[in-house]
Amino acid sequence: MKRPYTMAINKKLLKIDLASGKTSTVPIDKEYKQFIGGAGMAARILYPVLNNRVDPLSPANPLLFMAGALAGTLAPNFGRHVICARSPLTSIWGESNCGGSWGAELKLAGWDGVLLLGASKDWVHVVIKDGDVQILDAKPLVGKRVTETEHAIKEAVGEKKLKISSIGPAGEHLVKYAAVLSDEGRAAGRTGMGAVMGSKKVKAISVIGSKKPQLADPAKFNEAKQQLQQEIKDNFTLNMFSDLGNAGYVDMASVTGDLSFKYFTKGEWDGAYDISGASMKESILKKQYFCKQCIVGCGRIVEVAEGKYKTPGPVHGPEYETIGAFGATLLCKDLRAISKANYLCNELGIDTISGGISIGFAYYLQEKGVLPPEKADGLTLTWGDMDPAIELIEKISMRKGIGNVLAEGTIGIARHFGVSEEEAAAVYGMEVPFHDARAYVGSALEYATSHRGACHQSAQYYLTSMGAPFPDWGITPIDRFEHEGVAECVARLQDMRGVFQSLSLCNFVVPSSATLLADLFSSATGVPMTREELILAGERIWTIRRLINLNLGYSPVNEKLPKILLKPLEGGTNGIVPNLEKQISEWYAYRGWDRATGNPPVAKIEALGLSGLAPVF
Ligand code: SF4
């Protein structure tokens, strides 16, 4: 039977009031031109309702799942979705980007987003089959790990093709950096959206759609799609990611110092090759994994067949950031052990970056004598030994013993032990990813001014500095140790990445022009969009996220890196440290925003159409 059609964007949200169990439709038929979809539209929808009185783990915090504008179409590598709310980890804007297939499926069910309001009295899971929405008892699912949860829901609903976003025990126990998982291992890891979902007592949202997108201009869409497909096929980095996964970057990162070691205190280590994508390919790799609409397939499916790190069969393998968190941070050279840690984090619902760094901080504190084994549930934390880390992952997910302290993240750990927060590897409360600002100095500015704490996806400065220009956005690569021009470059990248995150483009793909993206968007959705309008939308999306943060109590006082990330290192960084103050001053000057308050000027807010935005729901 021919499937019914839906539009590439559905222009409506599914609203679920968890206290009453009532569902309704919220039309969002305007403002796609201004906010595009995905992250931009999520910010627009939540901006009028988020303020500093909203406790992140209270029923007052709305949780929004939003598919990107081009998710559900055949546009290559655009199949992602975001999950947004006030973050329990940072207390500012929480936004977590996820691959897999859930977002595309939501679009094919006829929705652009799912908005969870309030909190349920008892545990529930939501099943969406096109317009039919059921809120079902999830008590039998409580305590289950992610894969077990997915299997149980598919069995109970009798639908093997359901796409499921769920939390593990970490989300149930409100671990500050709990993730939301889909497709048995694709994580919306950052900013603790799993804890917000847990606070609402929602174990899972499952979706299946029977529609397919109707494109506004199929011929123009196909032309733009084919151009982008060709660009992806011709891209050296993406070919390398296809072959080795993004862990293929481990070797180069260790040489340049982008990847530092031993909880960010060492610039050199002899174990990088052992934990690289090439080593993975030679040992435990079973096959590639492709997110929906992806033609690259950087995902790895691995299997550890025997020994104490044995996996229960082929499972999602560790990516570059996870290898940084559990390999480089803990000095563990064993890819099988890292794969086991990754598998456990996915199953228990833990962000591997924040989780790995929190555990690394515990190793660091034990070496300093602050956290002796008797205060760490008897665990001896020896660099290179993954076994206690594996125990800690389980303890964190249940908030058991020392796990209850580590579940708070590095700032919480520092406060608990009375250690200086300058030793916590976090910016605005979120643990830093593995792109060291001593190797690419503009990364310092990227982290300090990001909308969600230490985020490497808000500008991907290291990628540009390595030689990826974006002429349409006026972006040219700058030498990695050079400070001149960094402020403008980072600001332009931030605006551009906001567009990518709203279209739901994979972070690794960099189209050659804004015109190409505007053509894809307008031909798919029927919403007219020029290159200039798309570029302006990027600035609007960056600015509205700052306005949200100001409403949430954001202060430029916190725009800094902790001292542990600013100590000169040996190795590829050549002892360089970023001059962050210079970068920040120039960034505010370039944006024309007030350095003392962090505010954009009223005239800019009005020019971007951001004043007096009415509530959407
Ligand atoms: S390149 Fe990797 S992260 Fe990006 S869409 Fe493909 S599989 Fe997913």
Side-chain angles (χ1 to χ4, degrees):
M1 194 180 84
K2 209 170 175 191
R3 294 188 299 169
Y5 280 77
T6 182
M7 293 300 290
I9 47 175
N10 297 296
K11 302 187 178 179
K12 61 182 183 179
L13 293 180
L14 170 62
K15 182 173 96 172
I16 303 177
D17 182 332
L18 291 163
S20 67
K22 285 192 182 137
T23 64
S24 55
T25 299
V26 180
I28 41 170
D29 51 344
K30 294 192 185 119
E31 298 185 318
Y32 279 89
K33 193 178 183 74
Q34 287 76 26
F35 298 98
I36 299 174
M41 190 58 88
R44 161 64 186 100
I45 291 166
L46 295 183
Y47 171 48
V49 297
L50 285 179
N51 61 62
N52 210 8
R53 295 183 302 281
V54 174
D55 180 333
L57 296 178
S58 76
N61 194 15
L63 181 64
L64 178 57
F65 291 65
M66 198 77 201
L70 295 177
T73 71
L74 292 177
N77 291 61
F78 281 92
R80 304 176 73 85
H81 65 281
V82 290
I83 308 175
C84 300
R86 187 179 195 186
S87 164
L89 184 66
T90 64
S91 291
I92 56 172
W93 175 244
E95 180 183 310
S96 200
N97 190 305
C98 191
S101 55
W102 190 92
E105 195 70 24
L106 185 72
K107 294 287 281 294
L108 300 183
W111 305 97
D112 288 350
V114 179
L115 177 64
L116 301 181
L117 297 179
S120 174
K121 193 162 155 285
D122 297 308
W123 283 96
V124 293
H125 70 106
V126 178
V127 178
I128 303 165
K129 294 181 182 173
D130 292 334
D132 177 46
V133 182
Q134 295 180 56
I135 301 174
L136 304 173
D137 178 18
K139 282 198 281 298
L141 301 174
V142 174
K144 287 196 189 305
R145 297 180 174 202
V146 163
T147 302
E148 204 184 352
T149 298
E150 290 203 19
H151 290 178
I153 290 174
K154 286 176 184 174
E155 173 90 359
V157 176
E159 181 54 77
K160 284 199 172 88
K161 290 185 176 166
L162 274 180
K163 303 300 177 192
I164 300 172
S165 272
S166 69
I167 56 171
E172 294 173 22
H173 291 96
L174 310 182
V175 171
K176 289 274 176 72
Y177 43 84
V180 181
L181 275 294
S182 57
D183 291 24
E184 299 184 6
R186 302 308 287 184
R190 309 247 65 197
T191 70
M193 294 299 97
V196 178
M197 195 161 160
S199 75
K200 297 187 174 305
K201 287 201 161 68
V202 176
K203 179 71 175 170
I205 304 177
S206 311
V207 62
I208 186 161
S210 67
K211 306 173 194 307
K212 68 176 185 179
Q214 181 182 31
L215 302 170
D217 184 343
K220 189 175 171 189
F221 178 83
N222 279 332
E223 194 183 323
K225 184 189 85 175
Q226 280 166 15
Q227 185 185 332
L228 183 54
Q229 281 173 336
Q230 195 56 51
E231 288 181 12
I232 291 172
K233 283 179 188 158
D234 292 343
N235 185 287
F236 172 81
T237 305
L238 294 177
N239 279 309
M240 187 267 280
F241 281 9
S242 180
D243 186 31
L244 303 177
N246 56 34
Y249 178 58
V250 168
D251 302 277
M252 182 180 172
S254 68
V255 171
T256 59
D258 203 26
L259 182 62
S260 54
F261 308 102
K262 201 181 180 192
Y263 188 68
F264 307 98
T265 61
K266 291 278 172 205
E268 291 175 317
W269 181 49
D270 65 358
Y273 179 76
D274 296 329
I275 58 173
S276 67
S279 292
M280 196 186 303
K281 186 177 177 185
E282 289 162 6
S283 56
I284 54 175
L285 181 67
K286 302 304 282 185
K287 60 178 181 178
Q288 281 175 277
Y289 169 86
F290 294 77
C291 295
K292 190 83 176 178
Q293 297 170 230
C294 175
I295 60 169
V296 176
C298 81
R300 308 285 95 175
I301 300 295
V302 302
E303 180 173 12
V304 180
E306 56 189 9
K308 61 181 173 178
Y309 304 123
K310 187 175 186 310
T311 56
V315 297
H316 284 273
E319 299 192 350
Y320 170 79
E321 296 293 339
T322 307
I323 287 174
F326 286 100
T329 301
L330 303 183
L331 301 185
C332 175
K333 294 181 180 177
D334 189 341
L335 259 180
R336 295 165 309 162
I338 297 168
S339 297
K340 182 74 174 191
N342 180 61
Y343 167 72
L344 277 176
C345 285
N346 286 345
E347 284 294 300
L348 298 167
I350 290 174
D351 174 35
T352 55
I353 299 177
S354 287
I357 293 175
S358 295
I359 290 170
F361 195 26
Y363 278 56
Y364 170 87
L365 291 177
Q366 186 157 105
E367 186 176 64
K368 292 194 113 195
V370 175
L371 178 59
E374 57 270 25
K375 285 189 183 172
D377 300 344
L379 292 171
T380 300
L381 308 177
T382 308
W383 297 109
D385 180 7
M386 184 67 80
D387 292 357
I390 284 174
E391 263 194 70
L392 287 172
I393 292 168
E394 305 251 12
K395 284 173 179 286
I396 289 168
S397 75
M398 302 300 288
R399 282 190 171 271
K400 234 167 100 180
I402 187 65
N404 192 37
V405 180
L406 301 192
E408 293 294 304
T410 50
I411 296 289
I413 297 167
R415 287 178 187 160
H416 179 86
F417 290 110
V419 171
S420 167
E421 290 179 21
E422 298 290 349
E423 295 183 74
V427 177
Y428 228 111
M430 189 159 87
E431 286 67 30
V432 291
F434 293 90
H435 299 288
D436 201 298
R438 290 163 288 197
Y440 293 89
V441 295
S443 296
L445 180 63
E446 176 178 6
Y447 296 161
T449 57
S450 158
H451 53 292
R452 59 173 195 168
C455 169
H456 63 296
Q457 296 172 342
S458 61
Q460 301 263 63
Y461 182 79
Y462 74 98
L463 209 56
T464 296
S465 188
M466 277 163 55
F470 303 101
D472 253 5
W473 262 275
I475 295 163
T476 48
I478 296 173
D479 180 86
R480 66 197 187 105
F481 295 138
E482 176 62 61
H483 284 81
E484 217 49 56
V486 163
E488 181 175 340
C489 180
V490 167
R492 287 174 180 269
L493 281 167
Q494 289 167 334
D495 293 351
M496 185 186 77
R497 288 282 167 186
V499 170
F500 291 7
Q501 288 148 9
S502 303
L503 290 166
S504 63
L505 178 60
C506 165
N507 279 313
F508 303 131
V509 174
V510 280
S512 62
S513 77
T515 306
L516 175 57
L517 289 175
D519 286 351
L520 270 173
F521 176 81
S522 57
S523 62
T525 64
V527 178
M529 183 73 84
T530 65
R531 166 190 172 278
E532 290 73 22
E533 288 166 341
L534 193 78
I535 290 171
L536 187 64
E539 186 181 4
R540 183 179 298 113
I541 289 163
W542 184 261
T543 305
I544 195 172
R545 293 190 287 198
R546 169 55 67 99
L547 295 178
I548 290 172
N549 277 337
L550 289 165
N551 286 348
L552 293 173
Y554 181 93
S555 167
V557 169
N558 295 319
E559 289 172 343
K560 59 184 183 180
L561 264 60
K563 285 189 180 143
I564 192 147
L565 300 176
L566 295 172
K567 286 186 184 148
L569 291 179
E570 72 284 19
T573 58
N574 290 341
I576 301 283
V577 291
N579 181 345
L580 183 56
E581 185 48 43
K582 172 181 164 62
Q583 293 182 33
I584 289 185
S585 300
E586 291 176 3
W587 185 86
Y588 272 99
Y590 173 76
R591 286 218 177 263
W593 294 6
D594 183 69
R595 171 79 172 92
T597 63
N599 277 301
V602 173
K604 172 60 78 178
I605 293 169
E606 284 175 355
L608 291 171
L610 294 175
S611 59
L613 287 176
V616 174
F617 61 93

